[in-house]
Amino acid sequence: DCYASSSNLLGNGSCDNMYNKIECGYDDGDCNEFNTDYPSCTVENPRYLGDGICHSRDYNAAECGFDGGDCDEFNYLYPN
């Protein structure tokens, strides 16, 4: 069963990690694109990927598409 502390977060158009599981229908479908595009990405807030802001650490990794492309310019300017 899917336990949703805030049922208004299910299927609201934003992938919420706490509901990104089979029992919750992968957030009622909100996480389908994330799971397809970044199957090895295990960040806490998937909705941050591709939001126009380069988030560091786990988000700026190959398995997360370098924050969904948000960190491409940063990584080009600061390769190390």
Side-chain angles (χ1 to χ4, degrees), residues 22-33:
I22 195 167
E23 299 86 1
C24 296
Y26 302 104
D27 195 5
D28 204 15
D30 289 344
C31 295
N32 290 344
E33 183 177 350

Side-chain angles (χ1 to χ4, degrees), residues 57-74:
R57 301 188 185 172
D58 295 340
Y59 298 88
N60 188 10
E63 55 269 14
C64 296
F66 301 103
D67 198 7
D70 292 339
C71 294
D72 290 346
E73 182 178 354
F74 175 85

